[in-house]
Amino acid sequence: MKKFKTAIILFAVFEAIAISLWLKTGSLFYLLNFSYIGLCIGVGLALSRAGWKYAREFIQFGVGTYMLVFLGLICRENMQIEGFWYYLLSGVFGAGVLHYAIAKIFGPLLFGRGWCGYACWTAMILDLLPYKQPQGPRKKIGFIRYIMFALALIIVLLLFHFGKATKHTMFILFLIGNLIYYVVGILLAILFKDNRAFCKYICPITVFLKPMSYFSLLRIHCDESKCIKCGKCLKVCPMNVEVNKDSRKRENATECILCHKCTKECPVKALK
Ligand code: SF4
Ligand code: SF4
Ligand code: SF4
């Protein structure tokens, strides 16, 4: 049972969110939505602890496709960063704001960038590309994320200014935004031979994710006294994290997506 502790805790956290929001708002949607996400995460983590190789992908596709297809395409909710600004500026406590509050602003205090490793529908496609291990060090172009962040806000402010900020416009933006993300993400992955290049340099959501995940309770720890400096963990890490140093240095604390590739590789079990 101890082996499945994290799976049970995370399922319980999501179930608590589901029940409290259902009771507070009276909307069955919240109960079903968060129960489903919690179930995907709980089952997936349990399968991972049981040794199934594709458990992370199971969660990522379970949550990612649900959000993209059901919430995004069928319910027409803009869950991109523009949707967050739209609802926030409209003063509406909509799904977009809630999604950001839980997955990308306050949730990372508990589970870091777990969203990036287990739920993001952009990365779920990018992770299928063949460049799973980055071929070189990080490029110094991370500033692009701030430009993207500002652009998203400016677009929504302009829509409000010209009276075009409607749910329909936001849905069109959602379609265009996702298409651009996929195309740019795939091109960058090919160019840099790195599946996660989009995450490292372009994604505006990291402006929220990185500072909050710095304080994350869940993180990979390295017992440096056990480490034999073989470098295997560094080689497999898709995010170029110096995980064999147990510090909360910027890269270590804000880039890890908790994918556990490093812990599986470590020959002396120094990482957990
Ligand atoms: S960095 Fe952005 S694109 Fe990458 S996984 Fe996280 S939210 Fe998704
Ligand atoms: S390989 Fe390890 S350090 Fe790198 S992102 Fe995955 S869990 Fe984090
Ligand atoms: S794989 Fe383990 S032993 Fe090798 S460098 Fe990483 S932490 Fe150290």
Side-chain angles (χ1 to χ4, degrees):
M1 205 64 181
K2 203 177 156 200
K3 186 162 135 173
F4 301 113
K5 195 171 79 184
T6 312
I8 294 168
I9 290 174
L10 281 178
F11 174 69
V13 167
F14 274 88
E15 207 47 41
I17 295 171
I19 293 169
S20 15
L21 282 173
W22 173 44
L23 293 177
K24 192 170 163 46
T25 62
S27 167
L28 198 61
F29 165 77
Y30 290 115
L31 181 68
L32 299 177
N33 179 68
F34 287 102
S35 296
Y36 170 78
I37 295 172
L39 196 66
C40 283
I41 294 172
V43 171
L45 288 181
L47 288 170
S48 166
R49 295 296 286 161
W52 191 41
K53 200 174 155 194
Y54 298 106
R56 187 183 73 82
E57 288 79 1
F58 167 86
I59 303 174
Q60 199 168 21
F61 270 88
V63 180
T65 46
Y66 161 72
M67 292 204 155
L68 178 66
V69 178
F70 181 70
L71 297 183
L73 301 180
I74 298 174
C75 298
R76 294 181 158 227
E77 286 288 351
N78 187 327
M79 313 289 277
Q80 301 276 87
I81 195 159
E82 305 83 35
F84 168 70
W85 293 127
Y86 166 73
Y87 282 115
L88 204 65
L89 294 170
S90 312
V92 179
F93 183 68
V97 175
L98 195 62
H99 165 67
Y100 267 74
I102 293 174
K104 292 157 182 172
I105 300 178
F106 300 113
L109 293 172
L110 170 66
F111 46 73
R113 285 180 63 177
W115 164 264
C116 299
Y118 295 82
C120 174
W121 60 83
T122 308
M124 108 190 151
I125 300 298
L126 299 179
D127 277 352
L128 297 176
L129 296 169
Y131 316 107
K132 298 190 190 310
Q133 296 172 9
Q135 299 300 304
R138 275 172 172 266
K139 317 266 179 267
K140 300 211 179 303
I141 53 170
F143 63 88
I144 301 174
R145 72 169 68 91
Y146 300 103
I147 299 174
M148 298 293 290
F149 186 84
L151 257 180
L153 179 57
I154 291 167
I155 289 172
V156 178
L157 285 173
L158 285 175
L159 286 176
F160 272 101
H161 180 72
F162 291 110
K164 301 278 183 205
T166 61
K167 271 207 90 172
H168 179 69
T169 323
M170 294 315 293
F171 177 62
I172 303 293
L173 257 188
F174 176 77
L175 296 179
I176 297 172
N178 271 294
L179 193 64
I180 294 175
Y181 278 17
Y182 281 129
V183 172
V184 173
I186 291 170
L187 289 177
L188 272 186
I190 296 169
L191 185 69
F192 293 144
K193 302 209 174 340
D194 179 357
N195 283 358
R196 290 277 179 160
F198 182 85
C199 303
K200 289 173 197 167
Y201 314 124
I202 310 286
C203 180
I205 300 162
T206 53
V207 174
F208 289 131
L209 285 168
K210 281 166 72 73
M212 300 311 267
S213 60
Y214 182 86
F215 302 99
S216 172
L217 272 178
L218 275 185
R219 60 190 289 261
I220 304 288
H221 284 283
C222 177
D223 182 343
E224 292 189 37
S225 62
K226 280 189 185 172
C227 174
I228 54 168
K229 307 271 184 287
C230 68
K232 287 186 176 175
C233 54
L234 307 179
K235 206 170 157 208
V236 294
C237 179
M239 297 300 286
N240 301 87
V241 178
E242 284 184 297
V243 67
N244 59 350
K245 295 194 177 70
D246 196 43
S247 80
R248 275 197 193 249
K249 213 179 80 172
R250 197 165 60 93
E251 292 81 5
N252 289 23
T254 67
E255 288 296 316
C256 178
I257 56 168
L258 301 171
C259 68
H260 278 277
K261 284 189 177 160
C262 55
T263 57
K264 287 176 193 151
E265 278 302 308
C266 182
V268 292
K269 306 273 173 259
L271 300 168
K272 57 183 173 179

